[in-house]
Amino acid sequence: MDNHLASKPISNEYFDIFDDEIDLWSLFSCEEEYGLAHWCVKHNLSRAAINELFRNPMMATVSNFTSSDTLFKTLNEMSYSMGIDCWKSGKVCYNRLADSNNLRDNDYTRFFYHNPVECIEFLIQQPAFREHMSYAPAKKFNNAEERIYSEVKSSDWWWDEQVH
């Protein structure tokens, strides 16, 4: 974004992502092959069931996979920016009366969490949500010229917070 836009309201036109810049199925030959892999994983198919599925001659027209090994090799190449490595953990003791100097490990409860900012960044980058994202406030009106408040982007708060 240009610096001269710093005082202007942000609009979707500065954040356009062109379809040719997005490869939604980068590891798969097409959307159908991705859908097939998703279905196999979602239904927790065994390797034997996947091998039987791919032995069916009709599958050759849908997928390049020939066995469960080729399917799982492709799945293992997928990268997840919100994968297991980004989980953080901490410990908390719920006993307020306990002496903090004498607590044992089993006096604590472990909890896991994600950094909420990283979660938001991850979600904003997802092409599937692109058409549903709003980067600027919007005022909507009905046929009687009455203001409609339907989402955060149509609230007065966003208009008030927007740099003028």
Side-chain angles (χ1 to χ4, degrees):
M1 226 164 48
D2 298 328
N3 287 335
H4 73 278
L5 299 173
S7 64
K8 304 264 192 266
I10 297 175
S11 72
N12 291 338
E13 70 180 272
Y14 302 111
F15 293 95
D16 280 345
I17 301 171
F18 301 103
D19 289 337
D20 59 352
E21 295 175 6
I22 300 172
D23 186 3
L24 295 174
W25 328 111
S26 62
L27 298 174
F28 304 94
S29 64
C30 61
E31 183 177 356
E32 290 76 17
E33 188 173 75
Y34 167 82
L36 175 64
H38 181 267
W39 183 84
C40 288
V41 171
K42 178 181 174 184
H43 293 286
N44 202 19
L45 294 184
S46 68
R47 288 185 176 266
I50 293 170
N51 287 334
E52 185 178 335
L53 177 68
F54 291 139
R55 278 195 295 269
N56 183 327
M58 291 177 54
M59 292 307 295
T61 62
V62 176
S63 172
N64 292 325
F65 298 125
T66 57
S67 68
S68 61
D69 290 336
T70 59
L71 171 67
F72 286 112
K73 182 180 176 198
T74 301
L75 293 175
N76 287 337
E77 291 176 22
M78 294 179 76
S79 63
Y80 299 99
S81 57
M82 291 298 293
I84 193 74
D85 296 339
C86 72
W87 282 97
K88 306 197 181 3
S89 70
K91 292 181 181 178
V92 64
C93 177
Y94 291 108
N95 184 352
R96 291 184 177 198
L97 302 176
D99 179 9
S100 61
N101 296 323
N102 295 322
L103 291 174
R104 297 179 312 256
D105 200 41
N106 62 352
D107 292 327
Y108 291 97
T109 300
R110 180 170 296 280
F111 63 95
F112 296 88
Y113 64 96
H114 276 296
N115 178 333
V117 174
E118 290 174 4
C119 291
I120 292 168
E121 289 172 349
F122 173 77
L123 291 171
I124 287 174
Q125 294 174 26
Q126 300 308 305
F129 302 139
R130 176 179 47 172
E131 64 190 50
H132 305 287
M133 299 298 291
S134 298
Y135 297 100
K139 289 186 178 179
K140 295 184 178 186
F141 298 90
N142 63 14
N143 291 339
E145 298 296 319
E146 298 168 325
R147 180 99 179 264
I148 300 172
Y149 298 92
S150 61
E151 299 179 40
V152 170
K153 71 178 181 179
S154 66
S155 69
D156 287 329
W157 173 83
W158 197 338
W159 280 100
D160 295 341
E161 293 297 314
Q162 183 73 46
V163 178
H164 299 285

